[in-house]
Amino acid sequence: MSVAAFHDCVGALLVREGEVLLGRRAADCAWLAGAWDMFGGHIEAGESEEAALRRELGEELGIDPLEVRRLGTIGGDHPEPWRLHVHVVTSWRGDPQNLQLHEHAEIRWCSPDEAKQRLGPAHADLPSLIERALATTRHSTGPG
């Protein structure tokens, strides 16, 4: 009996001044076309979660994360077994820019309610992870 391997990914909720940065996937994307999502991507063989997150945020947004905290993992079975390891990023070097227009049609800073509304349909646990990400930043002791 074999156990299905998980497709492991990392995702980042970038938080600034009480807002969350989200991207709307391009209409012709093979995965989640037109849906709103967080930034991140696949963990490559031999790569740690943190290394994958740094690589993906550099490729997609042109930033280098400075303060990263792991929030938790969500998962599912379709279209294949997958896990998304979600992190909150509260400090970074660089200005987030949409560097991969073929992947995201737009990026936007969203209020907590907007972020929960946009990500909620993707997974039932995302609204609570957004709340945790924002609560983490509200209790921050100062700049990093």
Side-chain angles (χ1 to χ4, degrees):
M1 179 169 72
S2 66
V3 176
F6 283 95
H7 188 89
D8 278 306
C9 298
V10 290
L13 293 169
L14 272 73
V15 176
R16 178 187 75 183
E17 298 175 4
E19 293 186 318
V20 179
L21 186 64
L22 299 179
R24 187 173 52 81
R25 309 240 341 139
D28 59 354
C29 278
W31 182 257
L32 300 173
W36 286 91
D37 71 354
M38 65 186 79
F39 296 93
H42 311 287
I43 300 174
E44 295 178 357
E47 192 174 42
S48 69
E49 284 181 34
E50 184 177 340
L53 194 68
R54 289 183 180 286
R55 177 182 50 76
E56 290 286 351
L57 292 178
E59 291 171 1
E60 293 182 2
L61 297 172
I63 63 168
D64 179 26
L66 301 175
E67 286 189 35
V68 179
R69 290 185 207 102
R70 193 174 196 283
L71 292 174
T73 300
I74 60 174
D77 294 323
H78 293 93
E80 62 189 10
W82 59 272
R83 290 186 294 211
L84 176 65
H85 307 287
V86 182
H87 298 75
V88 58
V89 179
T90 55
S91 177
W92 53 86
R93 186 177 303 115
D95 261 342
Q97 299 174 45
N98 188 4
L99 299 180
Q100 295 190 349
L101 295 173
H102 65 279
E103 190 165 335
H104 290 101
E106 67 177 297
I107 66 174
R108 183 181 302 170
W109 288 101
C110 300
S111 71
D113 287 342
E114 288 172 320
K116 289 186 274 189
Q117 180 181 29
R118 289 179 173 151
L119 292 184
H123 194 280
D125 292 340
L126 284 173
S128 65
L129 288 174
I130 292 167
E131 280 296 321
R132 286 180 52 210
L134 292 164
T136 299
T137 60
R138 283 193 289 267
H139 300 299
S140 171
T141 57

